[in-house]
Structure formats: C-alpha cells, structure tokens
C-alpha cells in the first residue's frame, strides 16, 4: 500500500445559484485503487468529477494531484497548459457518451493513436501496431481499424473510447457513467472488460455511476452522494451490505436483486 | 516612374501602414504565430490577394523593385493587375526577373531561383488557420496553438496514410516553424515546402479576409510534418518541361486539345525563360 | 500464546431507517478469542447472529461497539476502527473469508477467481495459476470446468471454487461460513483435511458448521452465540 494519495480533495464546495452542487466534499484516491461515487441524478456526482479533473473550478476547497516525481500539485492552480498535458498523459477521462470522448470523423485506429501522437510518437507503423493491439484488447477486430466509429455499435464505441484513453497508460482515470447508455447485455461485457483492464494495469479509477451493481463489481471503495454531500463512505461491500445512512439504505433497497 | 496623383504612396494611408508594420514586427518576433490586424477594404475582391497587397503596401518603398507572380507566372491576370496597381499608386519599378526584385508578391508558388538576403517574399493567404478543417471552433484552435497541442494534425496525416497509403496533401502542406508553431504555408505546392526552410529572404504572409498576418524570418527552421517511416516526400510530375527541358522545376500540366493531348511546362515562367536564354 | 483474533465487548445492531428507524440489536458484549492453530465453531440457534458475527469479523458489517483485535503484520490491530484502505490490506494479507455463496463475476473463469487473491499478494501469474489448478483438482473440480466462469455451475461446484479461493493464500486467520453445506461425502472429507492442514500450519479458524460430524472433526471448542432477549 503506498503512503501518499494520488489525488486528494479537501472541502470542495460549489453552488449553482441556490442549489449546492458540492457541499464540503473531501476525498482521496490512492494508486491502484478504484473508488466509486454513487448517488442518483442531480446528487452532484458528475460535478464532483468535473471539479476533481480540473474541468470545473470549485468556489472553495482544493484538489491536489501527486505527479510521478512525488510532487503534490494543485489542480486548479497549475494553469491550462499543464492541466491539458496532464489530461493527455497521466490522466484519462471516459465519458458516458462515447461521442464526447471520440473523434467521430477519424478512424478507430486514428482515435487510439491520437494520444500516442500527442505524446510525440512519430512512427506510423509503431502507432498502428499499438492501436491494433489495443483494439484486440478491448475485443474489437483489428480488421475494423480503418472504419470510423460511426459504423460501430454503442458498446463497441465505448470500448474504443476506453482503448483510446488507456493506450498511454494513464495513472488515474475518471469515468463518468461508462455503462450509462448501453443495453444490459452490453453493459456486463463492458464492466468485465473494465474490471480486467483496471486490475492488469493497476490503474487508479474514480468512477461515477448510479449503477450499484457496477460499483460492487468494480470499486474497492464507495462514496455515497446526496444533495452535493458525501453522506457515507467505506469499503464497497460494507457500504452496500450494512448501509448506515437513511439515503444509502434507500438506494440499496431500491436495487432489484437479479 | 512616379505615383499617380490623388493617392497616398502605395494606396494605404500612413496610419494603416504603421498598424500593419507593427503587426508584422510582432509576427517576425514570433515566427509562425498568427497576428490579427485591421484589414482594410481594398479595390479588389477577397480572394484576389487583398492580404498580400496590404502587406506589400506597408513594406514597399520608392526604391523597391516589385515582382508579382500567380501560380509561378508573371503574365496572368492577377499578377499583371497587382503589378500595375503598385506601379500606379507607388510609382515603383517592376520586374519579372526574380533576382532583380526586392519584393516578390506571390500567389501559390515560391520562385525556383533561390532567394537571397534582403529580399522579401509576400504570400497571399486565403486561410491562415492550418487546423480549420480539423477543429471548427476558432477559440479552440487558438488554444491549441497556445498550448502547442498539435496531435490532431498528426492524426490527419495518419488518416491519410491509412486511407491512401501516403500523405495525400499536395498543397498547403502543414509545417512546424521554429519548432513551435504549426503554420499553413498558403496553397503553395508541397514541392515548394523545402524552399521555406532556412530561406535567406524574409517571408511575410497576409490573409485579408481572415485579418491575420504571420511571418518566417530569414534562416528560420521550417519542417514539414511527417512520420519517421513515411518521411515527407513532395510529389513532382515525372516529366521534363516541354520548353526548357527542366527535370527539377515544378511543372504545370497543360491540356493542348480535346483529344487527350497534353504537355508539361515550368510553372515558374521567369525561370523557364532564363533557362532557354542561357541555352541560346 | 496470544490470540490471532480477539473481540472485546463486540456489539452490533441494525437501524432500519426505512421502517421508521426501528433498531434491531443482534450482538452484545461478544468476547471471543482464537489462537493460532485453533478452530472455534460458532454455535447457536438459527437467527442468533452467527453470520452477523462472522460478517463483523470480516468487516463486511461495521461493528457497532467494542473492539476486534487482529494480529496483522506482527502487531495487534483493532479492525473495528480500521479505515477502508487498511481493511483492504488486512483482507489481502491476513484475513480470509469463505462465504456461503460464491458471488460469480461474469466471464471470469473459475481458475482466475481462485488465482486472484494470490496475484493480489504479489505471486507471479504462472505460479498463482498452478496453485489454483492444484487446489481445484484436489476439490475434484474437473479441469474442463476450471476454464469456465462458474455462473452456470451447480451449488456444490460453486462452493468448491469458493473454498479453493479462500484456502489458496494461506491466511493467518480464516473465517468459514458453512463450508461443507452442499458437498458430498468425498469432498467433505477433502475440506476436513484442508482445515486440519491449515490448523497445523498455524491458521486460526472460526467457522459455522451445521454438519455435526464436520464440527466434531475440526473444532477444538464451541463458542455459543445466544439470541438477545429483546431482539424485536
């Protein structure tokens, strides 16, 4: 277990008018740890993810990211250039809608290769070989490498987005409802794929989801959010099997047992 | 020759020229970076070289000798009318010979005769933004330049190779200037790109409709984007000029009849004539 | 010798906020100690809280009061107060749990389910898979099933996968919840042998065994869990 967290947030608050989207939220993510944030729509999960990843700015509180050299850097104070560099190297972001995370006019191979090229890769053959390997890894036939993602099913698009995000081996991946818009049968396959990749690569993941089953399958730790506040947190199985807060009990009891 | 009465020297008023010169100084100081300027209405339509003309008007002096080419030729309508325009409003000497000119305004070519120190090459630019087909949001392209975030341009080249087996850009081939800014070289053929690299002459670019200027100072590194295993190799027609026999110049294909007859000629008319004169 | 696991005044109650805040006390003042190499069987009528006690010990339920001392990395640690990350470390290194039912993960083969805790402890993938295969073979799970996800297995087959997973790492403390419930005589004998070997290797075992024969064979003593009088 490593001693220092990768990402550390303290006292994050953000209001949209009268509505508190985040109310004094603190959390930390350690290397190799999958942390899920659950709660219903409007509980502030997605806002929290945007603030943690630097895409939105909190009105109070701060977020620290520890870089590979061990230096803690304030996410909202590092400047746009440094933040962008982070987003295309150490970090990854998987969007709910693959259209937000893919370039729909660019081939599957180009989508996977973009992060490599942004990181300076300039050997076409090597980029292509890596893209093919990653397509295989996310169970997409490399023969479809030159097809645009518009020709892919929703599940394939989401797997492509994951390949595109993980190709540069980020240390921390933010996932916003990665199984959100998919059929149930497709969801299971995707969840399993994410689970295996996260374990193989030792990724740290911050996963936002309203799907309790997905959180149970993927997450080591769970945070339950309601009205912008973290009402309960702990080991995933403890929070789900022995929920303390009335809202968590409601959330858990609302899940249909399959 | 003297300037026609009723016009300020070189058509533009002095304040406008000063404004453009300031923008040019900034452009020279930041090679490849697009600098906005207050583009004026000119007595010709956009697309006919309004940006180039304003740049030329701002840097030209009474002692300069001007050459104007359009696709390499001195005798096409656009070249002839711009040359006449400056002869009339600035009273400057004009020439068709590259070596004699101090300022060369060009549309879509770089002369074959190597340029030297002290010369200025002024490009007419229809679209200064090299990323505009890839990223439709102007604000986002600005941010990409600011952060040198050019992975997307490389993706476009990747897509070309994946689709066509080679980089299918034959003109306006994107370049990196001084290792920092991605730049559109205006629609010159990729064949001309290597001439931009460490050119002794000053290169100025003007886009009138888009209201942008940029520059490449003398002896600046200009590198065409490519891949290690697909190096930049500009295409040239596998033929010799039908008039001068040149095998190293850029050739235009000329259709001679409606039965499929055609011939290749030097695009640079001055260079072709010089070769024929030298051959006697 | 000092205990491998010892509880002091362990309490657990449930507050059902959705039922008007009803409070259900289940455990009160539980003092249980298990030494290395010892097996303690939890006994008591159905509903007395044996499973709740097991879940509290594993951290699956949060302790309501009292302490749970566990020898972890050479020191006694109160896991009733350990945070989630420390609890993960404890579960990886020290504390194993064989639940009554396997929670099958879609598409993951039985062999990988068994090898996973070994990999988490840093064992090389090849060695982990070899050890997993050996344990599954010992529990008579045919090789053709080892490469399949257990979702479609019978109850007995799933339980054997679960047992192999729990026994594979050789945890210093092992919690067994009805480990032989749906096994035939032959496999019951294998499990009894595995528990005896674990004890001999110094593992402290706490189990719920409904099968009196198994309990008689492996348990050194019985710990009675009594239903609370006012449990309503």
């Amino acid at each position: 277990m490593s001693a220092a967290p990768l990402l550390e947030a303290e006292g994050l608050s953000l209001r949209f008018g009268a509505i508190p989207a985040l109310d004094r939220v603190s959390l930390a993510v350690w290397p190799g740890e999958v942390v899920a944030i659950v709660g219903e729509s409007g509980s502030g999960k997605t806002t929290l993810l945007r603030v943690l990843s630097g895409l939105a700015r909190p009105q109070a509180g701060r977020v620290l990211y520890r870089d590979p050299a061990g230096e803690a850097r304030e996410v909202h104070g590092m400047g746009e250039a440094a933040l962008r560099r982070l987003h295309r190297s150490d970090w990854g972001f998987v969007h709910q809608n693959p259209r937000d995370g893919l370039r729909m006019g660019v081939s599957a191979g180009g989508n996977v290769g973009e992060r490599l090229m942004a990181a300076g890769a300039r050997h076409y053959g090597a980029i292509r070989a890596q893209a093919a390997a990653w397509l295989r890894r996310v169970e997409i036939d490399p023969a479809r490498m030159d097809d645009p993602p518009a020709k892919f099913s929703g599940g394939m698009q989401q797997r492509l987005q994951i390949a595109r995000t993980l190709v540069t081996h980020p240390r921390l991946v933010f996932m916003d409802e990665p199984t959100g818009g998919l059929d149930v049968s497709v969801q299971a396959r995707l969840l399993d794929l994410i689970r295996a990749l996260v374990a193989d690569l030792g990724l740290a993941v911050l996963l936002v989801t309203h799907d309790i089953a997905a959180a149970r399958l993927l997450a080591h730790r769970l945070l339950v959010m309601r009205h912008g506040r973290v009402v309960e947190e702990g080991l995933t199985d403890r929070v789900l099997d022995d929920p303390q807060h009335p809202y968590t009990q409601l959330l858990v009891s609302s899940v249909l047992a399959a | 020759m003297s300037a026609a009465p009723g016009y300020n020297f070189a058509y533009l008023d002095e304040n406008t020229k000063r404004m453009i010169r300031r923008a040019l100084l900034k452009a020279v100081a930041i090679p490849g970076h697009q600098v906005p300027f207050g583009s004026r209405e000119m007595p010709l339509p956009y697309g006919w070289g309004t940006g180039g003309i304003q740049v030329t008007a701002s840097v030209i002096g009474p002692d300069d000798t001007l050459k104007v080419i359009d696709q390499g030729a001195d005798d096409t309508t656009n070249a002839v009318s711009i040359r006449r325009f400056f002869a009339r409003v600035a009273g400057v000497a004009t020439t068709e010979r590259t070596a004699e000119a101090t300022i060369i305004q060009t549309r879509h070519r770089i002369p074959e005769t190597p340029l030297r120190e002290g010369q200025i090459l002024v490009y007419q630019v229809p679209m200064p933004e090299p990323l505009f087909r890839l990223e439709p949001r102007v604000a986002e392209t600005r941010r990409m330049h600011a952060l040198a975030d050019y992975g997307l341009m490389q993706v476009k080249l990747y897509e070309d190779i994946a689709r066509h087996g080679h980089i299918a850009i034959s003109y306006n081939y994107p370049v990196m200037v001084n290792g920092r800014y991605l730049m559109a070289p205006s629609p010159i053929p990729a064949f001309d790109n290597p001439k931009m690299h460490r050119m002794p002459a000053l290169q100025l670019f003007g886009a009138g409709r888009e209201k942008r200027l940029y520059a490449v100072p003398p002896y600046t590194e200009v590198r065409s984007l490519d891949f290690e295993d697909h190096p930049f190799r500009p295409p040239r027609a596998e033929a010799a000029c039908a008039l001068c026999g040149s095998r190293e110049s850029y050739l235009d294909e000329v259709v001679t009849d409606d039965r499929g007859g055609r011939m290749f000629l030097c695009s640079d008319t001055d260079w072709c004539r010089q070769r024929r004169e030298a051959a006697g | 010798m000092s205990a491998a696991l010892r509880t002091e005044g362990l309490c657990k109650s449930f507050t059902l906020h959705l039922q008007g805040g009803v409070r259900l006390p289940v455990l009160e003042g539980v003092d249980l100690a298990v030494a290395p190499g010892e097996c303690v069987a939890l006994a008591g009528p159905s509903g007395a809280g044996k499973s709740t006690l097991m879940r509290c010990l594993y951290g699956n339920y949060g302790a309501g009061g009292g302490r749970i001392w566990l020898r972890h990395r050479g020191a006694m640690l109160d896991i009733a107060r350990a945070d989630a990350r420390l609890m993960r470390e404890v579960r990886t290194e020290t504390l194993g749990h064989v639940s009554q039912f396997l929670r099958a993960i879609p598409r993951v083969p039985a062999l990988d389910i068994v090898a996973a805790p070994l990999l988490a402890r840093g064992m090389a993938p090849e060695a982990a898979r070899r050890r997993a295969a050996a344990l599954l073979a010992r529990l008579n799970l045919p090789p053709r099933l080892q490469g399949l996800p257990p979702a479609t297995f019978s109850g007995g087959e799933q339980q054997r996968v679960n047992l192999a997973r729990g026994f594979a790492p050789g945890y210093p403390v092992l919690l067994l919840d009805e480990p032989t419930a749906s096994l035939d005589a032959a496999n019951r004998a294998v499990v009894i042998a595995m528990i005896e070997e674990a004890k001999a290797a110094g593992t402290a075992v706490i189990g719920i065994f409904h099968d009196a024969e198994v309990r008689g064979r492996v348990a050194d003593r019985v710990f009675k869990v009594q239903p609370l009088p006012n449990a309503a």
Side-chain angles (χ1 to χ4, degrees):
Chain A
M1 228 164 52
S2 80
L6 208 52
L7 193 78
E8 207 171 355
E10 291 168 8
L12 297 178
S13 290
L14 178 60
R15 302 181 75 86
F16 297 128
I19 301 155
L22 296 179
D23 188 1
R24 288 159 291 166
V25 174
S26 298
L27 67 86
V29 183
W30 274 262
E33 193 183 35
V34 181
V35 178
I37 302 163
V38 300
E40 61 204 15
S41 315
S43 59
K45 312 186 294 288
T46 296
T47 303
L48 176 58
L49 207 58
R50 288 180 54 79
V51 168
L52 291 173
S53 60
L55 300 177
R57 190 170 279 278
Q59 284 152 345
R62 63 173 192 167
V63 182
L64 294 177
Y65 168 68
R66 195 155 283 124
D67 68 18
E71 200 170 321
R73 301 166 67 199
E74 203 166 331
V75 167
H76 297 93
M78 65 173 65
E80 201 186 341
L83 188 64
R84 276 210 177 195
R85 232 176 352 260
L86 212 52
H87 265 280
R88 61 182 196 229
S89 56
D90 287 14
W91 291 3
F93 204 112
V94 176
H95 299 264
Q96 172 172 10
N97 187 342
R99 285 170 184 276
D100 296 335
L102 293 174
R103 293 197 187 276
M104 297 308 281
V106 169
S107 69
N111 265 290
V112 178
E114 180 173 353
R115 268 174 82 109
L116 294 172
M117 290 183 251
R122 290 292 180 269
H123 192 284
Y124 175 81
I127 291 165
R128 221 169 147 73
Q130 276 211 61
W134 266 97
L135 289 178
R136 228 172 274 124
R137 208 157 170 183
V138 298
E139 301 170 19
I140 295 173
D141 182 356
R144 304 206 52 188
M145 177 162 190
D146 296 328
D147 289 350
K151 286 191 179 170
F152 290 1
S153 69
M156 278 173 82
Q157 287 181 4
Q158 200 55 296
R159 280 180 274 135
L160 180 62
Q161 192 191 181
I162 287 167
R164 170 181 160 92
T165 307
L166 299 188
V167 64
T168 48
H169 293 273
R171 304 166 76 211
L172 174 64
V173 180
F174 301 92
M175 296 190 181
D176 187 6
E177 301 275 11
T179 58
L182 302 174
D183 292 343
V184 178
S185 59
V186 178
Q187 276 183 16
R189 182 178 183 186
L190 186 70
L191 281 174
D192 180 52
L193 185 78
I194 294 174
R195 193 195 57 79
L197 287 173
V198 164
D200 285 356
L201 301 172
L203 295 175
V205 177
L206 251 172
L207 167 76
V208 154
T209 182
H210 66 264
D211 181 349
I212 303 289
R216 190 190 277 276
L217 183 67
L218 295 177
H220 301 121
R221 282 199 295 129
L222 208 60
L223 278 78
V224 182
M225 277 193 83
R226 189 186 193 207
H227 297 164
R229 285 181 44 224
V230 175
V231 296
E232 186 164 355
E233 63 179 300
L235 275 176
T236 300
D237 62 287
R238 183 185 297 186
V239 173
L240 295 181
D241 293 341
D242 185 18
Q244 302 296 315
H245 191 275
Y247 177 69
T248 315
Q249 291 190 357
L250 177 67
L251 206 62
V252 171
S253 67
S254 311
V255 178
L256 294 175
Chain B
M1 234 192 275
S2 63
Y7 290 106
N8 189 37
F9 177 77
Y11 186 76
L12 291 175
D13 64 273
E14 293 305 313
N15 284 330
T16 297
K17 286 195 268 184
R18 192 176 304 149
M19 174 268 293
I20 293 175
R21 283 180 208 132
R22 281 183 183 142
L24 287 172
L25 284 173
K26 180 172 176 183
V28 168
I30 315 170
H33 172 63
Q34 298 168 48
V35 181
F37 79 107
S39 180
R40 297 292 188 250
E41 288 293 326
M42 296 303 286
L44 77 169
Y46 288 136
W48 285 70
T50 54
I53 290 172
Q54 290 179 78
V55 170
T56 300
S58 303
V59 298
I60 202 165
D63 300 332
D64 274 310
T65 303
L66 179 69
K67 169 183 164 84
V68 182
I69 52 173
D70 175 4
Q71 306 267 22
D74 296 85
D75 55 0
T76 52
T77 315
N78 192 235
V80 169
S81 47
I82 292 173
R83 198 161 57 231
R84 273 209 206 122
F85 173 78
F86 279 109
R88 189 164 159 213
V89 300
V92 294
T94 60
T95 182
E96 295 192 0
R97 292 177 184 270
T98 300
E100 287 173 7
T102 53
I103 298 174
I104 302 165
Q105 180 170 332
T106 176
R107 176 175 175 270
H108 305 185
R109 269 315 304 276
I110 297 176
E112 304 287 357
T113 307
L115 300 187
R116 54 177 159 75
E117 280 182 24
Q119 287 182 309
I120 300 176
L121 184 60
V122 178
Y123 296 77
Q124 300 172 196
V125 180
M127 172 40 78
E129 179 48 68
L131 297 163
F132 95 107
R133 281 195 194 284
L134 305 173
E135 175 52 67
R137 295 166 296 179
V138 174
E140 179 64 15
T141 61
R142 303 267 159 78
R143 210 169 291 131
M144 290 162 82
H145 284 297
L147 304 174
D149 188 357
Y150 295 136
L152 188 56
M153 190 74 238
Q154 205 71 29
V155 171
K156 148 83 175 122
L157 304 188
Y158 167 95
E159 292 286 285
D160 268 10
I161 302 174
R163 205 167 299 151
H164 310 289
H166 61 274
I167 298 173
I169 307 174
S170 51
Y171 61 92
N172 211 355
Y173 191 108
V175 293
M176 280 298 285
V177 177
N178 203 25
R180 173 59 183 83
Y181 281 98
L182 183 71
M183 188 185 90
S186 87
I188 60 171
F191 175 88
D192 282 344
N193 272 22
K195 297 178 188 158
M196 307 180 82
H197 179 60
R198 299 192 56 78
M199 182 191 278
L202 170 65
Q203 304 175 71
L204 302 176
F205 299 78
R209 186 189 54 211
E210 303 296 327
K211 303 177 172 54
R212 289 286 181 279
L213 301 172
Y214 48 102
V216 177
Y219 301 108
T220 302
E221 183 190 314
V222 177
R223 202 180 55 79
S224 302
L225 295 189
D226 62 359
F227 287 94
E228 289 159 17
D229 49 344
H230 284 263
F232 172 73
R233 221 178 273 126
R236 180 186 175 277
E238 275 302 318
C241 173
L243 295 178
C244 75
S246 166
R247 289 194 164 272
E248 57 268 25
S249 62
Y250 189 73
L251 301 177
D252 286 337
E253 184 178 351
V254 180
V255 175
T256 51
D257 54 39
D258 55 6
R259 293 183 303 278
R262 57 183 194 157
M263 61 197 281
F264 288 95
L265 297 175
C266 283
S267 142
D268 186 335
T269 51
D270 171 54
W271 198 72
C272 191
R273 192 194 59 234
Q274 282 181 53
R275 276 177 56 90
R276 277 177 280 136
E277 285 170 3
Chain C
M1 185 157 187
S2 70
L5 184 142
R6 177 165 51 87
T7 70
E8 280 175 14
L10 179 63
C11 301
K12 178 63 188 173
S13 64
F14 296 95
T15 305
L16 307 180
H17 293 287
L18 304 181
Q19 268 83 45
V22 170
R23 191 172 162 276
L24 298 176
V26 180
L27 302 174
E28 225 170 80
V30 174
D31 296 311
L32 163 70
V34 197
E38 188 187 23
C39 175
V40 174
L42 304 183
S46 180
K50 300 187 295 293
S51 279
T52 298
L53 175 55
M54 288 287 253
R55 283 168 172 257
C56 284
L57 296 180
Y58 193 59
N60 178 228
Y61 287 174
R67 292 168 182 276
I68 304 171
W69 294 102
L70 176 78
R71 180 168 298 282
H72 173 66
R73 291 191 173 182
M76 294 309 278
L77 172 74
D78 179 11
I79 57 171
R81 281 166 182 76
D83 70 10
R85 290 183 56 247
L86 188 52
M87 209 53 216
R88 268 188 74 204
E89 180 191 289
V90 163
R91 286 177 176 186
T92 304
E93 296 178 14
T94 308
L95 188 58
H97 180 222
V98 177
S99 58
Q100 233 173 318
F101 301 103
L102 175 70
R103 192 181 279 278
I105 303 168
R107 303 208 306 164
V108 181
L111 191 69
D112 290 351
I113 290 178
V114 177
L118 297 172
L119 296 173
R121 291 159 72 103
M123 192 184 272
E126 263 318 299
R129 237 169 261 128
R130 260 200 311 278
R131 179 162 169 73
L135 268 166
L136 287 169
R138 188 175 178 195
L139 285 157
N140 300 307
L141 195 79
R144 65 181 170 81
L145 289 187
Q146 296 185 9
L148 297 177
T152 54
F153 289 9
S154 73
E157 286 162 347
Q158 291 198 0
Q159 190 167 27
R160 281 178 274 151
V161 173
N162 220 7
L163 281 160
R165 178 182 166 93
F167 275 92
Y171 298 107
V173 178
L174 194 52
L175 309 172
L176 303 174
D177 194 349
E178 299 273 19
T180 56
S182 41
L183 300 186
D184 57 24
N187 282 311
R188 212 155 43 226
V190 173
V191 174
I192 290 170
M194 283 168 67
I195 294 173
E196 281 171 343
E197 285 164 25
K199 283 169 63 184
T203 298
V205 181
I206 301 170
I208 301 172
F209 307 98
H210 277 178
D211 186 324
E213 185 208 331
V214 175
R215 185 167 53 207
R217 288 279 304 275
V218 300
D220 298 297
R221 61 195 168 84
V222 168
F223 182 87
K224 286 232 181 314
V225 183
Q226 295 295 354
L228 298 179
N230 56 343

